[in-house]
Amino acid sequence: MATYKPQTDHEKRKQISIRGIAPVENVVEFKKAFNRHLHYTIVKDRNVATPRDYYLSLAHTVRDYLVGRWIRTQQHYYEKDPKRVYYLSLEFYMGRTLSNTMVNLGIQSACDEALYQIGLDIEELEEIEEDAGLGNGGLGRLAACFLDSMATLGLAAYGYGIRYDYGIFAQKIEDGWQVEEPDEWLRYGNPWEKSRPEYVLPVNFYGRTEDTGSGVKWVDTQVVFAMPFDSPIPGYGNNTVNTMRLWSAKAPNSFNLHFFNNGEYINAVCDRNQAENISRVLYPNDNFFSGKELRLKQEYFLVAATLQDILRRFKSSKFGSRDPVRRSFESFPDKVAIQLNDTHPSMAIPELLRIFVDVEGLPWDKAWGITVKTFAYTNHTVLPEALERWPVSMLEKILPRHLQIIYLINHNFLQEVAKKYPGDAGRMRRMSIVEEDGEKRINMAYLSIVGSHAVNGVAALHSEIIKSETFREFYEMYPERFQNKTNGITPRRWLLLCNPGLSDIIAEKIGEEWVTDLYQLQNLKKFADDENFLRNIIKVKQENKMKLAEYIQENYNIKVNTSSIFDIHVKRIHEYKRQLLNCFHIITLYNRLKRDPNQAFVPRTIMVGGKAAPGYHMAKLIIKLINSVAKVINNDPIIGDRLKVVYLENYRVSLAEKIIPAADLSEQISTAGTEASGTGNMKFMLNGALTIGTLDGANVEMREEMGDENIFIFGMKVNEVEELKRSGYHPQEYYERNRDLKQVLDQIKGGFFSPEEPGMFTDIYNSVMYNDRFCLLKDYEDYIKCQDSVSEVFKDPLQWAKMCVLNIASSGKFSSDRTISEYARDIWGVEPNDIKLPPPHEGLDSMDSKPPQKK
């Protein structure tokens, strides 16, 4: 009798229809290129290739396929001179580049087959690549998805950010506590970037202003140079390769010779380091604005270098031209659109005005009109403590000319307010960009609204909140400026790349158009009652769970039950995201099992992951509590494998790509009205996980798309949260009323999970009992009931699978392609297109000149 032989990963990948079959000539060509790069990569005195040598050779070979398309794309832009879009963000959370590039170029099969013939495993090489962790979480990852979509939609777009030497810190869990280690992502170099020293630009700080006969000048400044590093951003299947340009700070001189000649070597080096510290490290996001001087320098450094670059490109419209061909700025808003990703790059508004007025000699009114038409602002938070407010004293020292310009903007704006609302001094005080209460500060969100022609929120609910609450008076002043642009995710990385098994069975049913038109997934609805299809969905999910279980066993030495609910809560650790509420549920399940070990119980593996900002005491204490609870539960023989808790260390993009395809349940449980949108919720939905969540952020629109019966909703709505706080919220009443909740909190306070230090979690107990800002105790009972409903539905695998299919089929709206198309048409004034550029070996004349089509 024939025995069953498991397929190798390579054999499985060869069967995946959506990646195609690699032509023999491509495989042969790829092998030659790979061996050529390997020859140059191996260190001569070593003469033996290491795994990293193989990875670098693969990366350089794939990069060769990119470069010709990259050059051709830029040639095409210079020849056609389209309106260009500039996306300014202090964060770009790119993750790994290799796999995404191969997928978008359509060469993954050729690469896989060539390496297999050589005797290498492509997945092992992909694991060697460091994550480019130049972001904290959602905001930076959104920017990365947007770059992918802009290239796929054929937009002449550029991402501008900072090339941090150290990205978001690497998280280690030691004795249950978070320990931060530097993220040395550039330790072995970055094969995907190209330095551009020919475009180094000066950035000025400090100094003073001087009135001259020709206007105000900013003089006696300290100069730091901005060195650009370009990374290619390939679109999917269209040969378009856009550019992400990241700036690195360089000192103007190698040494201060005065210090050096006097023997003060240390001072000479420190002088250099101080300049280069600007791009040294990414600031961790704790949603609390702290007003650090280095952060302000980073923000201005980005916008000053970027605007010089934008103006250079605007003036020189033909490829290779260094001489300005445009002298007038009348057409600037017709050729340039600048999107501010939150307020971090908002200093671009006074900087562009400074260039127009002080350098180019434009009159103020004309310069202001052009500026407003050029900029648009995306708001990402409604938490008041997270909004940027820079002290006037700091701006006066570091950017004195910009402070003068901001004062003038505010003066003109308040005159406009006074004209529209005569005699309303209170409104003028509240709307002033310059806050006078306490220390004088500049409100950067207000500056962004006044200086932009469009302001958008990132989910329908969030956009309503900023219109009705956060910026209500600005909405009354400029109602036409406010829009909604619900966030999205790129289906290339978050389904095609990370979940090939699911991608394949979808493609078998509805074809492959969904990769660039996610609304095609709605065609899956007709298979929601097809038992064979449902069983294939179950099979793919089970395979993904087994892979993740293997990873957990290998990295955490915890054996998990793959038949259990994989209940996953991964995001930045913050009180408003309510990881603590999840922890209460974990303890409640544990207590139930201890009370009655023989009860019918649906097994669960609960995974929590995310980083806390290094200075955020409460978030770090929550991590310690979850790990302490996990230690008790995972080592209790009575519990066994019915309940396991895993803290996923160092959550990042590459780890998300392993976790999300394996999830059964996605936790999106922030207090209603606190999460702007969320994009993790969309990634889980697209990969067939069901959501338990509140009506917050994009959860509201997800429910509208999939129907109330396919999502587990609990907790208060936004208006109910407001009403509760207005009428007086007393968390102790809920503690006294609910026996299970009382037991959970008493265990936390009494040291049940920290016997070595019984008072360790007193701060957590006090925060929810006496200052439960995010209403955990109020929502606890409803959350537990909702989780019980989850367990009940999970008992019926086909019903669960049907809900998964309907989730996937309803994901079309949440593609970043749709989001970017809306930005393009409604804000930037450009039209997406499906024009495919010819590959490098064909002439530009061969281009298929189809007219742009709406998708």
Side-chain angles (χ1 to χ4, degrees):
M1 187 174 72
T3 57
Y4 170 71
K5 183 183 176 186
Q7 287 182 311
T8 65
D9 284 341
H10 174 74
E11 287 168 337
K12 283 180 185 175
R13 289 197 298 273
K14 280 186 75 172
Q15 289 180 353
I16 293 173
S17 60
I18 201 161
R19 296 185 182 183
I21 298 169
V24 174
E25 62 272 19
N26 288 1
V27 173
V28 173
E29 182 186 323
F30 191 89
K31 283 164 67 177
K32 286 180 183 174
F34 177 83
N35 285 322
R36 185 170 64 250
H37 279 295
L38 186 62
H39 174 74
Y40 290 111
T41 301
I42 298 173
V43 178
K44 285 185 171 54
D45 62 355
R46 183 155 38 82
N47 216 26
V48 177
T50 65
R52 185 165 296 279
D53 292 331
Y54 288 126
Y55 159 72
L56 288 171
S57 301
L58 174 58
H60 288 135
T61 307
V62 172
R63 192 182 66 183
D64 287 349
Y65 281 79
L66 264 181
V67 170
R69 290 165 173 81
W70 196 7
I71 293 169
R72 166 145 294 180
T73 302
Q74 302 312 311
Q75 285 176 334
H76 176 65
Y77 292 160
Y78 274 98
E79 289 301 320
K80 298 297 181 185
D81 194 24
K83 183 172 184 178
R84 290 170 167 87
V85 174
Y86 298 98
Y87 196 83
L88 274 59
S89 178
L90 235 63
E91 299 182 23
F92 285 98
Y93 205 167
M94 303 302 291
R96 291 172 175 164
T97 299
L98 175 61
S99 303
N100 190 71
T101 301
M102 291 190 294
V103 166
N104 281 9
L105 291 182
I107 61 171
Q108 190 166 33
S109 295
C111 298
D112 193 0
E113 183 63 32
L115 291 175
Y116 178 71
Q117 291 180 17
I118 292 169
L120 298 171
D121 186 331
I122 195 169
E123 289 190 354
E124 288 180 7
L125 299 187
E126 287 169 346
E127 286 297 312
I128 292 170
E129 183 178 1
E130 302 281 349
D131 277 53
L134 306 185
N136 284 283
L139 179 137
R141 185 53 233 170
L142 180 77
C145 284
F146 279 3
L147 292 186
D148 179 273
S149 286
M150 286 188 267
T152 299
L153 293 169
L155 300 179
Y158 303 76
Y160 276 96
I162 293 179
R163 181 183 180 265
Y164 302 104
D165 295 344
Y166 298 92
I168 183 67
F169 61 85
Q171 180 195 56
K172 297 288 183 190
I173 301 296
E174 295 181 3
D175 191 29
W177 292 99
Q178 170 180 294
V179 176
E180 300 87 26
E181 295 185 350
D183 168 43
E184 298 182 87
W185 73 289
L186 292 170
R187 183 187 321 144
Y188 301 105
N190 177 10
W192 303 104
E193 69 181 10
K194 174 77 174 74
S195 65
R196 305 299 301 272
E198 68 272 30
Y199 290 119
V200 166
L201 294 167
V203 176
N204 296 287
F205 294 99
Y206 303 106
R208 59 187 176 81
T209 59
E210 191 174 86
D211 284 314
T212 67
S214 57
V216 180
K217 299 297 176 189
W218 186 17
V219 297
D220 297 338
T221 59
Q222 292 182 18
V223 177
V224 174
F225 286 116
M227 161 86 88
F229 287 79
D230 289 353
S231 297
I233 307 293
Y236 180 80
N238 63 354
N239 291 326
T240 294
V241 181
N242 284 343
T243 302
M244 175 178 69
R245 177 162 286 185
L246 303 180
W247 301 102
S248 181
K250 302 295 177 186
N253 300 304
S254 294
F255 291 105
N256 184 317
L257 291 176
H258 171 74
F259 284 145
F260 192 76
N261 292 335
N262 285 319
E264 296 183 51
Y265 174 77
I266 298 301
N267 282 341
V269 175
C270 287
D271 197 37
R272 178 184 178 85
N273 285 346
Q274 189 174 12
E276 299 188 352
N277 279 344
I278 290 172
S279 60
R280 191 76 69 205
V281 65
L282 168 74
Y283 263 97
N285 183 355
D286 56 5
N287 274 100
F288 289 95
F289 174 70
S290 54
K292 293 184 172 64
E293 187 172 308
L294 179 58
R295 176 69 166 189
L296 176 61
K297 283 186 173 180
Q298 286 182 340
E299 294 182 2
Y300 179 68
F301 174 76
L302 164 62
V303 303
T306 299
L307 286 174
Q308 289 179 73
D309 212 36
I310 291 171
L311 283 157
R312 173 193 59 77
R313 195 176 288 114
F314 167 76
K315 289 178 177 180
S316 307
S317 65
K318 288 292 179 185
F319 181 74
S321 169
R322 291 294 182 103
D323 299 320
V325 296
R326 287 194 182 99
R327 302 286 179 184
S328 167
F329 291 96
E330 295 286 349
S331 63
F332 193 79
D334 300 322
K335 290 296 180 182
V336 174
I338 301 176
Q339 189 69 38
L340 306 175
N341 192 26
D342 217 341
T343 56
H344 311 137
S346 58
M347 201 56 75
I349 294 169
E351 172 64 5
L352 186 59
L353 279 164
R354 184 191 70 80
I355 294 170
F356 281 157
V357 174
D358 295 0
V359 180
E360 301 291 346
L362 268 62
W364 174 270
D365 289 344
K366 186 175 181 180
W368 176 248
I370 294 171
T371 299
V372 171
K373 287 176 186 173
T374 301
F375 284 106
Y377 159 56
T378 300
N379 174 269
H380 282 279
T381 183
V382 294
L383 295 178
E385 66 269 26
L387 295 173
E388 288 192 305
R389 295 175 167 91
W390 289 109
V392 164
S393 56
M394 189 185 293
L395 281 168
E396 197 166 27
K397 181 174 87 168
I398 299 172
L399 302 169
R401 177 59 180 142
H402 297 75
L403 181 62
Q404 290 181 346
I405 290 169
I406 291 168
Y407 277 149
L408 185 51
I409 293 170
N410 192 49
H411 171 76
N412 293 343
F413 170 64
L414 291 181
Q415 283 191 325
E416 206 179 327
V417 174
K419 188 176 176 182
K420 188 165 184 177
Y421 303 99
D424 194 342
R427 180 182 286 263
M428 288 178 67
R429 180 181 53 78
R430 292 189 301 272
M431 294 182 74
S432 174
I433 296 168
V434 183
E435 298 180 346
E436 305 277 358
D437 299 335
E439 184 183 13
K440 240 181 172 182
R441 292 177 177 270
I442 304 299
N443 188 311
M444 302 308 286
Y446 291 1
L447 175 63
S448 301
I449 295 168
V450 173
S452 301
H453 70 276
V455 179
N456 72 279
V458 290
L461 176 64
H462 170 234
S463 296
E464 286 306 310
I465 290 172
I466 66 174
K467 287 194 292 188
S468 62
E469 295 177 30
T470 318
F471 305 126
R472 179 177 58 81
E473 291 180 316
F474 286 88
Y475 173 62
E476 291 167 357
M477 184 83 183
Y478 303 122
E480 72 287 351
R481 293 189 184 183
F482 284 76
Q483 303 183 20
N484 174 59
K485 297 287 172 275
T486 298
N487 282 345
I489 57 173
T490 169
R492 271 76 63 184
R493 184 179 290 268
W494 295 112
L495 182 49
L496 181 59
L497 185 156
C498 76
N499 202 341
L502 181 57
S503 299
D504 189 37
I505 62 173
I506 291 171
E508 284 175 5
K509 287 294 183 186
I510 65 169
E512 300 176 10
E513 287 184 15
W514 60 266
V515 180
T516 52
D517 179 9
L518 206 60
Y519 280 111
Q520 294 291 327
L521 290 182
Q522 62 193 355
N523 293 322
L524 289 174
K525 288 180 181 177
K526 57 176 172 267
F527 302 107
D529 292 307
D530 180 337
E531 187 171 332
N532 285 335
F533 183 63
L534 296 180
R535 294 203 180 279
N536 282 335
I537 291 284
I538 293 168
K539 180 186 172 190
V540 167
K541 181 66 73 175
Q542 192 61 25
E543 288 174 352
N544 291 334
K545 289 170 75 171
M546 289 167 73
K547 278 186 182 176
L548 182 57
E550 191 179 320
Y551 175 88
I552 291 168
Q553 174 80 56
E554 189 179 316
N555 288 273
Y556 306 108
N557 198 27
I558 299 173
K559 187 177 169 82
V560 301
N561 178 359
T562 55
S563 299
S564 65
I565 300 174
F566 274 25
D567 176 349
I568 299 182
H569 196 177
V570 284
K571 49 187 76 237
R572 278 188 302 113
I573 307 299
H574 196 287
E575 288 163 279
Y576 85 84
K577 294 178 184 286
R578 301 206 294 191
Q579 286 91 352
L580 193 52
L581 183 59
N582 189 359
C583 188
F584 291 174
H585 174 240
I586 294 168
I587 298 170
T588 302
L589 291 180
Y590 174 69
N591 290 337
R592 283 182 185 174
L593 277 171
K594 293 294 281 184
R595 275 198 300 269
D596 181 8
N598 299 317
Q599 65 178 286
F601 184 86
V602 177
R604 279 200 193 224
T605 300
I606 301 175
M607 304 178 209
V608 182
K611 298 176 182 179
Y616 192 172
H617 165 71
M618 188 58 71
K620 295 178 89 168
L621 196 58
I622 289 168
I623 291 174
K624 172 62 174 173
L625 174 61
I626 293 167
N627 280 300
S628 298
V629 170
K631 186 177 178 182
V632 170
I633 292 173
N634 295 345
N635 292 293
D636 192 322
I638 294 173
I639 303 301
D641 68 354
R642 290 181 292 175
L643 181 63
K644 290 289 182 187
V645 182
V646 181
Y647 197 91
L648 298 160
E649 182 182 78
N650 199 32
Y651 182 61
R652 58 202 182 278
V653 174
S654 57
L655 183 53
E657 292 166 8
K658 294 181 176 70
I659 295 164
I660 290 170
D664 290 310
L665 187 68
S666 159
E667 300 266 355
Q668 308 296 333
I669 60 176
S670 54
T671 312
T674 59
E675 188 74 83
S677 170
T679 50
N681 45 5
M682 302 168 189
K683 292 162 195 163
F684 282 105
M685 178 186 181
L686 182 60
N687 282 272
L690 303 189
T691 299
I692 182 168
T694 52
L695 286 175
D696 194 27
N699 294 355
V700 177
E701 290 158 85
M702 286 165 53
R703 185 180 73 154
E704 288 170 1
E705 295 295 308
M706 73 178 76
D708 197 35
E709 66 280 4
N710 294 307
I711 187 169
F712 298 97
I713 295 293
F714 75 94
M716 292 182 288
K717 301 181 181 69
V718 173
N719 61 314
E720 292 170 338
V721 173
E722 292 168 356
E723 179 55 37
L724 177 72
K725 291 183 175 178
R726 208 164 27 241
S727 61
Y729 172 41
H730 305 290
Q732 300 92 331
E733 293 176 7
Y734 298 90
Y735 165 82
E736 297 293 349
R737 190 187 306 166
N738 189 303
R739 187 189 69 174
D740 289 343
L741 176 59
K742 187 175 190 301
Q743 182 183 5
V744 167
L745 288 172
D746 288 348
Q747 286 171 309
I748 290 170
K749 182 188 180 187
F752 183 86
F753 299 106
S754 55
E756 71 288 353
E757 190 180 331
M760 182 182 292
F761 302 118
T762 302
D763 285 353
I764 288 177
Y765 175 87
N766 289 338
S767 75
V768 294
M769 283 293 285
Y770 306 112
N771 183 30
D772 187 13
R773 182 182 170 194
F774 298 108
C775 306
L776 279 74
L777 303 199
K778 171 68 174 74
D779 276 347
Y780 168 84
E781 186 174 348
D782 200 16
Y783 178 53
I784 299 300
K785 285 178 183 173
C786 197
Q787 287 281 20
D788 291 342
S789 301
V790 169
S791 296
E792 200 57 39
V793 176
F794 194 76
K795 291 177 185 176
D796 184 345
L798 288 177
Q799 175 60 26
W800 185 275
K802 179 179 178 178
M803 293 171 70
C804 291
V805 169
L806 292 171
N807 267 257
I808 297 165
S810 304
S811 299
K813 177 179 180 177
F814 304 108
S815 167
S816 50
D817 296 346
R818 187 268 316 152
T819 312
I820 288 300
S821 294
E822 291 180 3
Y823 273 101
R825 293 179 179 127
D826 301 343
I827 296 178
W828 303 331
V830 294
E831 185 66 27
N833 67 73
D834 59 358
I835 291 174
K836 182 174 180 177
L837 295 178
H841 60 272
E842 294 180 15
L844 276 172
D845 293 340
S846 67
M847 189 166 72
D848 179 11
S849 301
K850 287 189 291 185
Q853 297 175 9
K854 290 191 177 184
K855 295 185 180 179

